[in-house]
Amino acid sequence: MADLRLFYKETCPYCKKVIRFIEKHELDDKIEYVNIQEDPKNEEELVEKGGQGMVPCLFIDGKPLYESSDIIAYLDENYVK
């Protein structure tokens, strides 16, 4: 299984869309949530490793995947039974 880290912020509607999908399909235990508003270091890490500060961003084994619909499609294809 890939190492999955979702960078998000609570006020972002696209982040909420991804999180709803994750919760609906009970994938919470497979994904580490990283709130960029909780700690400035989280946002710095997102920009440093992903190249931009856009959320949601799902890091899959350290590689960034942006866009909520792309993230949902990836999770659906790889983790939803």
Side-chain angles (χ1 to χ4, degrees), residues 42-71:
N42 291 342
E43 188 169 8
E44 289 171 19
E45 180 183 357
L46 172 62
V47 173
E48 181 182 306
K49 293 183 177 178
Q52 51 187 312
M54 187 172 85
V55 290
C57 178
L58 179 66
F59 280 87
I60 306 161
D61 290 331
K63 294 185 178 187
L65 176 62
Y66 293 94
E67 299 297 332
S68 59
S69 35
D70 292 342
I71 293 169

Side-chain angles (χ1 to χ4, degrees), residues 2-80:
D3 177 37
L4 303 174
R5 298 179 75 211
L6 179 68
F7 284 75
Y8 75 100
K9 60 182 171 181
E10 292 176 4
T11 57
C12 168
Y14 299 103
C15 296
K16 290 178 183 181
K17 175 181 167 184
V18 171
I19 291 169
R20 275 194 307 270
F21 178 87
I22 291 168
E23 290 172 349
K24 177 181 177 186
H25 295 283
E26 299 177 352
L27 302 173
D28 298 80
D29 60 334
K30 296 173 177 28
I31 300 169
E32 176 187 350
Y33 290 98
V34 182
N35 185 338
I36 66 168
Q37 293 173 307
E38 274 183 4
D39 186 341
K41 290 179 183 175
N42 291 342
E43 188 169 8
E44 289 171 19
E45 180 183 357
L46 172 62
V47 173
E48 181 182 306
K49 293 183 177 178
Q52 51 187 312
M54 187 172 85
V55 290
C57 178
L58 179 66
F59 280 87
I60 306 161
D61 290 331
K63 294 185 178 187
L65 176 62
Y66 293 94
E67 299 297 332
S68 59
S69 35
D70 292 342
I71 293 169
I72 288 170
Y74 170 82
L75 293 173
D76 190 41
E77 185 176 314
N78 293 283
Y79 293 95
V80 175

